[in-house]
Amino acid sequence: MGTAPSKTSTHHAVATPVVALPKPSKSPHQVDVKDVMISYSHQDVDAMRKLKSMLEGSGLTVWVDEAALTPGSVFLREIGEAIVASRLFIVLLSGDSVQSKYCQDEVSLAYVSNKNIFAVSLLQYDDVTKVMDLGMKLTLSCVQWTFLNEDTENAMNALLGSLKLSLSKVEGGNKEENEEDSGQGESDADDATNVMNKQALNFRLHAKRSSDMLPVETVPDNLMAQEFWKLKFGDVSEVEWAVFADTMKTHMSSMWNSIHMSAKDVKDMLKLIGTEMDVENGMLSYINYIKFCKKGKEIVALDEAVQLFASATVAVKGVFNISSSVRLTAIKNLGDHQSKAVINVLLDLLYDEEQDVQVVAAISLAHAASGITRIKTRSTVVNGLLGCLSSNDRLVRESGCLALGRMKSKAAIAKLLHLWRNDTISSVREAAQIAIEQIGGEEAERAMHVTKVLSDEIQKLKKN
């Protein structure tokens, strides 16, 4: 994957362990669980040490690569594992860290791993964001920011209070559970990150505006989703998507401008939002609009729903960039997501040039899609996984079998039976058999019975 950079480099790199099984065994180098993991540029090591000291002085345990990595360890992998294992994630922002590809990857990995993220900035908002790329701006647009450039003591006290509150909720298991959207035939995953992001948005809404706080233009106007629709479109049950998109674009122009989104960025984001809202034949229904704005048991403002979706989408796409240092680690953590954006990314990854990525994507796709009953979506996922069974790589075929078995896809029985009878690799034949047994049903039982009977007869002929 690459060699370890020296401590004089801009930042550390993160390795991505190869995973070919649904439940990978514990790594011999697996990191200890800590309260907080700090991501930083090594050029800010003095600031990181001061922050670490303050956190530990308040009773929190902290993971940083400087202290936790030892000579001979697979330390690139350990950084990725530390993000996943730690309860909270802090990114120390500076002119150096926001331009570090490794920091950007780590923020994206923290996001898709459902970590409560806290941004601690050494600079004022305008100074740090003017050198920050769009992806990081979107990903960090919904998290709590702390500024250490002025009044450090008060800023740290506020940060510590937020960290401890968040820890109490993580340790108490106070996470929103996925709830099934009755009448739609498909469940929605509402992860802990969305809950955290909502708390961060509320924090910013009620925060006193000052020179080191986020500009007021980035704060949603909190016009609730139902109110927005009624105000703009009245009591109609559906509206043309082009009309809705133009209305939303105008309504949210200050937010787009505040994070410096180009016209193309906005156009691409609206296209993704349209897909997520299930726009069909150029029309958006009120039901699908409300479904998009629903987070857990609460229907939030359109502004907030869009901001959460945008940041999540960018994080997912960023972490799977061809040069991302944390792709495989991130793919392992996508099983908790069931949004169309995530599923579409995973489907694309089934055709990645790296076969290790295809393997883990297939496994994650099975986890992410197992709760989806919408016929069209399930069919697309099953067809993608069926393609894995024709791969020339045995791990891709094996993971495809296991994924189809987990999805209990009856449409896969014929092809799985062919692999069970004909594949030259015993582990693939075994995976195909396991999948057929998991799928079950008369067709699977009949196919397995016929094959076993024929095998027994062939063995008898050999003996005679």
Side-chain angles (χ1 to χ4, degrees):
M1 291 292 183
T3 57
S6 68
K7 286 292 183 180
T8 58
S9 62
T10 301
H11 194 63
H12 43 262
V14 182
T16 52
V18 174
V19 181
L21 297 174
K23 295 182 179 179
S25 59
K26 183 176 179 180
S27 163
H29 299 289
Q30 191 156 357
V31 298
D32 294 330
V33 176
K34 300 289 186 181
D35 293 327
V36 181
M37 187 259 187
I38 301 176
S39 174
Y40 68 102
S41 164
H42 281 189
Q43 295 186 12
D44 302 318
V45 65
D46 290 338
M48 179 278 292
R49 288 171 180 167
K50 290 179 182 179
L51 176 61
K52 178 175 180 287
S53 178
M54 286 187 283
L55 295 177
E56 290 178 335
S58 69
L60 301 180
T61 56
V62 181
W63 197 100
V64 294
D65 65 356
E66 180 185 57
L69 298 175
T70 56
S73 69
V74 188
F75 84 84
L76 299 177
R77 181 180 67 214
E78 288 191 14
I79 294 172
E81 290 179 351
I83 295 172
V84 175
S86 298
R87 297 182 177 91
L88 306 176
F89 178 88
I90 290 178
V91 55
L92 187 62
L93 300 176
S94 69
D96 294 311
S97 66
V98 299
Q99 296 180 79
S100 163
K101 182 67 175 76
Y102 302 120
C103 275
Q104 294 166 7
D105 290 345
E106 290 166 12
V107 169
S108 293
L109 176 57
Y111 199 109
V112 301
S113 299
N114 297 336
K115 297 301 170 183
N116 286 17
I117 301 174
F118 294 83
V120 177
S121 181
L122 301 176
L123 304 173
Q124 291 190 349
Y125 179 78
D126 288 342
D127 292 333
V128 73
T129 55
K130 70 183 180 183
V131 291
M132 187 184 291
D133 79 336
L134 177 63
M136 185 174 272
K137 285 177 187 174
L138 279 170
T139 305
L140 297 181
S141 65
C142 297
V143 308
Q144 180 174 323
W145 286 55
T146 299
F147 297 86
L148 299 183
N149 54 311
E150 297 176 8
D151 200 358
T152 299
E153 183 177 353
N154 285 338
M156 277 303 304
N157 287 337
L159 174 63
L160 286 171
S162 297
L163 291 172
K164 290 183 177 180
L165 176 62
S166 186
L167 275 174
S168 68
K169 292 183 177 181
V170 172
E171 293 169 351
N174 186 19
K175 297 181 179 179
E176 291 289 325
E177 294 182 351
N178 296 345
E179 72 169 17
E180 189 167 336
D181 191 352
S182 60
Q184 294 300 306
E186 185 170 354
S187 61
D188 295 315
D190 177 55
D191 55 35
T193 306
N194 282 348
V195 178
M196 175 275 296
N197 286 340
K198 177 166 171 44
Q199 293 170 344
L201 284 169
N202 287 335
F203 170 85
R204 286 162 50 190
L205 254 180
H206 298 99
K208 174 182 173 184
R209 190 183 181 196
S210 63
S211 61
D212 62 352
M213 288 301 297
L214 297 181
V216 71
E217 289 80 12
T218 65
V219 179
D221 64 8
N222 244 22
L223 184 64
M224 297 312 294
Q226 303 96 317
E227 297 169 350
F228 177 84
W229 182 281
K230 187 173 182 63
L231 177 65
K232 301 294 184 180
F233 311 112
D235 295 323
V236 299
S237 61
E238 62 178 8
V239 66
E240 289 184 24
W241 169 248
V243 173
F244 181 89
D246 284 342
T247 304
M248 180 171 62
K249 184 166 63 174
T250 301
H251 177 69
M252 301 191 66
S253 60
S254 61
M255 195 275 274
W256 303 132
N257 292 334
S258 71
I259 55 178
H260 309 294
M261 287 185 70
S262 67
K264 183 179 184 303
D265 291 331
V266 174
K267 182 180 179 180
D268 291 344
M269 186 56 64
L270 288 174
K271 184 177 180 180
L272 289 171
I273 291 171
T275 300
E276 193 72 12
M277 285 187 176
D278 269 343
V279 172
E280 293 184 0
N281 300 319
M283 301 297 292
L284 170 65
S285 72
Y286 177 74
I287 292 175
N288 287 337
Y289 162 75
I290 291 298
K291 182 179 177 182
F292 175 82
C293 296
K294 189 175 183 182
K295 302 300 176 187
K297 299 178 181 179
E298 183 179 359
I299 298 174
V300 302
L302 172 64
D303 311 64
E304 184 179 333
V306 168
Q307 202 163 359
L308 293 173
F309 174 78
S311 54
T313 301
V314 169
V316 170
K317 288 185 175 297
V319 85
F320 293 121
N321 184 280
I322 191 65
S323 61
S324 173
S325 56
V326 293
R327 276 198 298 168
L328 291 182
T329 308
I331 295 171
K332 289 198 304 178
N333 293 285
L334 282 181
D336 293 332
H337 299 259
Q338 290 178 345
S339 77
K340 293 182 185 65
V342 170
I343 290 174
N344 287 337
V345 169
L346 288 172
L347 281 169
D348 288 342
L349 290 173
L350 291 179
Y351 305 96
D352 194 276
E353 293 180 357
E354 296 182 29
Q355 291 168 327
D356 289 336
V357 173
Q358 295 175 31
V359 171
V360 189
I363 295 168
S364 295
L365 192 55
H367 287 295
S370 59
I372 292 178
T373 56
R374 179 183 289 274
I375 295 175
K376 183 177 180 180
T377 305
R378 274 189 64 88
S379 176
T380 301
V381 172
V382 168
N383 286 337
L385 291 171
L386 282 171
C388 293
L389 305 189
S390 300
S391 171
N392 59 6
D393 184 270
R394 66 102 175 168
L395 286 179
V396 175
R397 297 199 302 278
E398 189 174 343
S399 63
C401 291
L402 296 174
L404 289 163
R406 185 176 179 85
M407 290 190 69
K408 298 186 182 301
S409 171
K410 295 187 182 301
I413 290 177
K415 203 160 186 178
L416 289 169
L417 181 63
H418 176 77
L419 285 184
W420 181 39
R421 294 179 61 165
N422 300 296
D423 202 278
T424 58
I425 306 298
S426 61
S427 60
V428 176
R429 295 196 301 272
E430 181 183 359
Q433 180 178 348
I434 291 171
I436 294 171
E437 292 172 348
Q438 287 178 328
I439 295 169
E442 291 183 5
E443 183 182 357
E445 291 176 2
R446 183 169 59 253
M448 294 185 72
H449 175 71
V450 169
T451 298
K452 288 179 178 178
V453 168
L454 292 175
S455 296
D456 289 342
E457 290 300 317
I458 289 173
Q459 292 301 317
K460 290 178 181 178
L461 288 174
K462 289 180 178 179
K463 292 178 180 179
N464 295 331

